[in-house]
Amino acid sequence: MTVKALFLALVASLSFNASAADPLPEWIWHDYKPGDKLLPGTETIFVRKAFPVEGRVSSAELKVCGDDEAIVFLNGQRVMVAGRKANPAGVNYSATATNVTAGLVTGENLLAAQVRNGGGPYGVIARLEMTFADGRQRTLISDTSWLTTTHSNANWQSASFKADGWTPARSIAKEGDNPWFEVMNAPTTAQTLNLPPGFQAELIRQARPGEGSWIAMTIDDKGRLIISPQKLASTNSGGMFRFTLADGRIAKEEKIDLPVGAAQGMCFVNGALYVNGFAGTETPASHGFYRIIDSNGDDVFDHFENLKQLHNRGGSHGPHGIVPGPDGLLYHIGGDYSKVVDGIAADSPHKNYQEDLLLPRHWDASGHAIGIVAPMGHLQRVDPQGKKWQVFAAGLRNPYDLAFNEDGEAFTYDADMEYDFGLPWYRPTRVYHLVSGGEYGHREGTGKWPYYYPDSLPPATDIGLGSPCGVKFGTGSKFPPKYQKALFMCDWAWGTVYAVHFKPEGASYTATHEKFATGRPLNAMDLEFGRDGAMYLITGGNDTQTGLYRISYTGRQTPGKKSKAELKAEADAAKARALRRQLEAFHGRKDAKAIEFAWAHLNSEDRFIRYAARIAVEWQEPSLWHERALAEKKTRASLTALLAVARTAKPEQKPALLRALQRLEWKRLDAVQQLELLRVHGVAFARLGGPDTETRRALVQQFDPLYPAKTDALNRELCMLLVFLESPNVVRKSMNLIAAKPSQEQQIHYIYYIRQMAAGWTPELRRAYFEWYQMAAGAFRGGVSFTKFLANFKKDAIAALTEAERKELAAYLEDFPVAPKAPPPRPFVKDWKLEEVLPDLDKASRGRSFARGKAAFEGAQCMACHRVRFDGGTVGPDLTALGGRFSRRDILEAIMAPSKVVMEQYQSTTIVKKDGDDITGRVIEEDDRRLVLITNPLTGERAEVLKQEVRSRTPATLSPMPEGLVNVLSKEEILDLLAYLESGGLPSYSAFGKAN
């Protein structure tokens, strides 16, 4: 055998690992023998590992942790001291990392450490990751091939030392095992969690290399946690896991050996695990509603079947959570890119839905969800056999999960369209009480319904900007009484777990909320409550580091005591909910008793009861109740009944409906009823068609004198209706309202709706209208789509001008600015590598400069595509909340290796046509006939491809973001940039100021 062959054989025999899925490093110690002298309380051992290196190493990172301390040497040179770090939350150790590229040599190398134990558990753990110039990667881990001794001689840490008498190490534990838990990965440690008094958090597990980023969790009938990574094992991110808990720790770990996973929702019911996920490959064809069982009773999942094909038009906005309901059915919630399943039952409670927009909407200016229409995000329910599917409620944006409270009522945490922040149709993240036949009013683009529309239902509370994920009630927990009734909700983007506290109000609830747990980062994904009464919380998503936390209450329990007034209020609310459920029993079926029973409740002061009664009536044959509705004299009942007519009538019934509406005198209506009257007109025209010329003129005479009104809401609805009716006065009145300088949102509402009006303009009004855009460009701010919307509105308004008007207004017709002005180019500094910055990451925590960080954000061209707070471009993701969900290392990797992880909504697709041409861009619209892509995100340029011309379509592997952007920055500027990104644009962030 040649010398080279011997060398390669030696390499193969060592504890090198070629992939992250190979064995984990081990905690090791000296293997004491009978008769060895042990030092009481303290001891010091010496460990060493010889290993060969073939070829030039381009980067090498060494991580070591010692209990209590390790002094580490590489080829005789001291490279670090690694060991215990105090942590009051119970995670006592973390590894120290350093770049050792320069210390490695071609040929024989030696890694050695002197390790001291100060009492209690003992061990040392190490991992050396090397990348070679030719792209090879090798990992050296601590294991029983390392040699140890309890005494040393001179030069013991050098490669030339003969380790005579040294013996193989003893393995104490694998990485991640008790009592150290995770130390090698950069942890999202429990010490970063802020909790109410009396609560404590422990990090009990992190995802190890190859286990993926965890995003969904459920608990089985034995109290075991079942967890799913975001991706299938075949995509190198692990399969599903089952963890047995004991005394708040993981006592047993099992991998579910089935090709089903990548779940964004799952639950365990009657011995079966139901999963919304993929099987085999992550393709649309394999996306299904799976049931997984143990077929032979050996407590091992061994069989799965796809009960229903699921339709997902957009990754993280598709099908989500699955929860068992109190009625024995399974409830499955999905986002606005998920379609209802094929074969929906005809008796679905939510059925009579349309867009119901009075005027044409403007689709999202950034291309999100173009062409998607009602029922939008929805809640379906199905029997455990997967046979009968119904749509229970809809009109949601992108809820990830749902939960039932002790009353058997369903709730969800719904997403906002954060791109729309600052625009009049923006709706914050919010908590919805989901009821039978419920419509919650999400429509894409400018079409979102306000909460006051009577054909929808309002939230229990608004939360604000956020990214909703898992939700769970504290029922059965060992938390204080108010938290046992609270709904806990994960906000992934802002690093928060909320606790929502409900108060019964009629047949529904109102709510308040508090921040229960916060952290930086705390990319909260899902939660469950264990049999021990503690909360189990996972972090993860989009390939971020995953942690499993246990949050328990250790404070003093004080029994809650209710007053007589509170008990009476709860009893009254229970009766109201019971009545609502009686009405809901008629949803989905025709019953001769329904009309008579429900009619009296059309006049209810309780909005949820009134809503349930209307849906019950709408399910009955229209010929049996339309005349009664047109003749109804009670004001509230009349408005409710006429809304039902508008939603179920035929066009030829429109005149009778409008005559019935004329009987309702505006001055006799309160503000809420006035809004309802306007909405019924809007639904009637949206569904049945516009009025004839004579009726249009009469309606203008009726509503024009009412505009402007006393409230913003009434002015919005009156403006919209009068634009639809082509009132000659709506332009002047709207511009007068704008001149009074109401809120930013209110001004944009008027600007949007009058932009294409043909009548009512004077030269002065036209000039004032376009001058407004100049003012707004400097004064108004909003989300990612904000400036794009305003730019599109201005283009629409320009298109409506005559040629003469364009010439007269030429000075005002420049394009609305949609991107910040590019800063001057910076000179090249250095071709930075990740490993050159990693050792200094801790320095981004203190003594940084906000001004330099913001300047680096601009100078590295980040601002061209991204924004922090309200500064920057809108092509890429908003980075304001970055520090709440990503660790510092994650942020640095995303900057320096942008193609490593590309978020689904920003991932491009490459289309190869049958003629050989290819097109790469982001798919923004798709139907059975065609695909529409944005091929240039900076200009919004689009391309349309007919599906019959497509040979293949594959996700693009490269990010639109180029590499090397930080090569114009110094290392200190990179650290300032990291601090700036973590701060979310706040100069008060703790990293800014004097160095400690």
Side-chain angles (χ1 to χ4, degrees), residues 430-475:
R430 55 216 169 277
V431 180
Y432 278 132
H433 176 200
L434 301 174
V435 297
S436 172
E439 165 65 68
Y440 297 91
H442 178 72
R443 299 295 186 268
E444 301 296 352
T446 63
K448 298 170 189 64
W449 297 4
Y451 295 158
Y452 52 74
Y453 276 5
D455 40 340
S456 68
L457 291 168
T461 186
D462 282 342
I463 303 296
L465 287 167
S467 180
C469 289
V471 301
K472 193 77 175 182
F473 275 95
T475 309

Side-chain angles (χ1 to χ4, degrees), residues 5 33 98 158 333 402 411 481 537 562 571 586 613 640 642 659 673 715 797 848 863 897 916 946 994:
K33 304 299 180 184
T98 190
S158 68
I333 204 162
L402 74 152
F411 294 83
L537 169 72
K562 298 175 182 176
F586 294 109
T640 308
L642 294 177
R659 286 194 298 272
Q673 292 169 342
N715 281 333
R848 307 321 311 174
M863 185 178 265
L946 296 177
K994 294 182 179 179

Side-chain angles (χ1 to χ4, degrees), residues 607-684:
R607 182 169 174 177
F608 277 74
I609 288 177
R610 198 162 65 243
Y611 185 97
R614 176 176 57 78
I615 298 297
V617 169
E618 286 184 17
W619 268 97
Q620 311 313 309
E621 187 62 42
S623 61
L624 299 177
W625 58 271
H626 269 193
E627 288 300 322
R628 184 174 181 177
L630 296 172
E632 176 61 52
K633 294 182 179 180
K634 294 178 182 177
T635 300
R636 185 178 289 110
S638 176
L639 284 166
T640 308
L642 294 177
L643 175 61
V645 173
R647 287 166 45 86
T648 57
K650 296 178 180 179
E652 57 266 26
Q653 296 174 279
K654 180 174 54 181
L657 172 59
L658 294 177
R659 286 194 298 272
L661 288 169
Q662 293 301 310
R663 296 201 314 269
L664 296 166
E665 296 183 46
W666 182 265
K667 292 182 179 181
R668 293 181 177 272
L669 305 178
D670 61 32
V672 172
Q673 292 169 342
Q674 289 171 348
L675 287 171
E676 290 186 7
L677 178 67
L678 294 172
R679 176 57 177 168
V680 176
H681 278 87
V683 174

Side-chain angles (χ1 to χ4, degrees), residues 845-912:
S845 299
R846 59 195 180 278
R848 307 321 311 174
S849 166
F850 176 85
R852 285 202 311 264
K854 186 174 182 180
F857 184 69
E858 298 174 6
Q861 305 298 319
C862 307
M863 185 178 265
C865 294
H866 303 279
R867 60 174 44 199
V868 172
R869 214 146 287 275
F870 296 119
D871 295 326
T874 59
V875 175
D878 188 315
L879 304 182
T880 306
L882 200 65
R885 60 184 183 268
F886 291 109
S887 70
R888 190 172 296 155
R889 176 171 180 149
D890 288 334
I891 296 171
L892 181 63
E893 285 187 324
I895 295 171
M896 302 186 75
S899 294
K900 182 178 179 180
V901 179
V902 182
M903 296 177 68
E904 290 171 341
Q905 58 266 49
Y906 297 99
Q907 187 173 39
S908 296
T909 298
T910 297
I911 304 292
V912 178

